[in-house]
Amino acid sequence: MRKKNAQDLVARTRNFALASLRLCAGLPKSTEVGLVRRQLVRAATSVGANYRAARRAKSRRDFIAKLSIVEEEADECIYWLELLQEMTETGQAQLRALQSEADQLVAIVVASKKTARKKGL
C-alpha cells in the first residue's frame, strides 16, 4: 500500500472510531442498547488500533494476519450498527453513514490483503 493511501486509511479508521463514539454518546440509555453500544465502541476503536498495528507488521504474513483482524472488527461493526438501526430511532442517518464507511473499510482491507498476497509485500 502506498504511503499516502496508508496515511489516508489511518485517518479514516480514526474518524470511523470517533464518529462511532459520537453516535454511541447520543443513543438511549436502556440496558439493551447499552450492551450493543459497548460492543460497537470496542469493535470500532479496534479497527484503527489494529490497522496501526498492521502498518508495523514484522513480515508479510504478520501484515496479512493483522489486516484480517481489521477486517473482522469492521465487519463486526456492521453487525452492531444493523442491530442499533432496528433497536432505536436515534441517529438513523449517522447509522447508515457508519454502515457505509464500515462496508468501505472492509472492502479496502480485503483488497489490501489480496494485493499483499500477490506482491509478496
Side-chain angles (χ1 to χ4, degrees), residues 7-52:
Q7 288 293 57
D8 290 346
L9 200 50
V10 167
R12 277 183 80 167
T13 58
R14 184 180 54 245
N15 290 337
F16 177 73
L18 289 169
S20 297
L21 290 168
R22 288 183 190 110
L23 169 81
C24 289
L27 290 172
K29 303 299 182 203
S30 72
T31 302
E32 297 81 12
V33 172
L35 293 171
V36 176
R37 176 183 26 245
R38 280 188 290 283
Q39 293 292 343
L40 176 59
V41 165
R42 185 201 53 75
T45 55
S46 179
V47 171
N50 282 295
Y51 179 69
R52 289 176 67 110

Side-chain angles (χ1 to χ4, degrees), residues 13 16 40 43-44 46-47 68-81 98-99 101-107 109:
T13 58
F16 177 73
L40 176 59
S46 179
V47 171
S68 293
I69 296 168
V70 175
E71 178 187 355
E72 290 170 11
E73 295 291 341
D75 187 61
E76 184 178 328
C77 288
I78 295 167
Y79 174 75
W80 299 123
L81 290 164
L98 284 170
Q99 282 176 312
E101 181 65 3
D103 280 331
Q104 291 175 41
L105 290 171
V106 168
V109 170

Side-chain angles (χ1 to χ4, degrees), residues 72-121:
E72 290 170 11
E73 295 291 341
D75 187 61
E76 184 178 328
C77 288
I78 295 167
Y79 174 75
W80 299 123
L81 290 164
E82 288 170 351
L83 286 182
L84 286 172
Q85 196 166 28
E86 292 184 30
M87 295 173 70
T88 181
E89 298 297 317
T90 305
Q92 290 295 312
Q94 281 179 288
L95 282 165
R96 284 190 299 277
L98 284 170
Q99 282 176 312
S100 175
E101 181 65 3
D103 280 331
Q104 291 175 41
L105 290 171
V106 168
I108 290 166
V109 170
V110 167
S112 295
K113 286 170 46 181
K114 286 179 183 176
T115 300
R117 284 186 184 115
K118 285 180 185 175
K119 290 186 175 182
L121 184 71

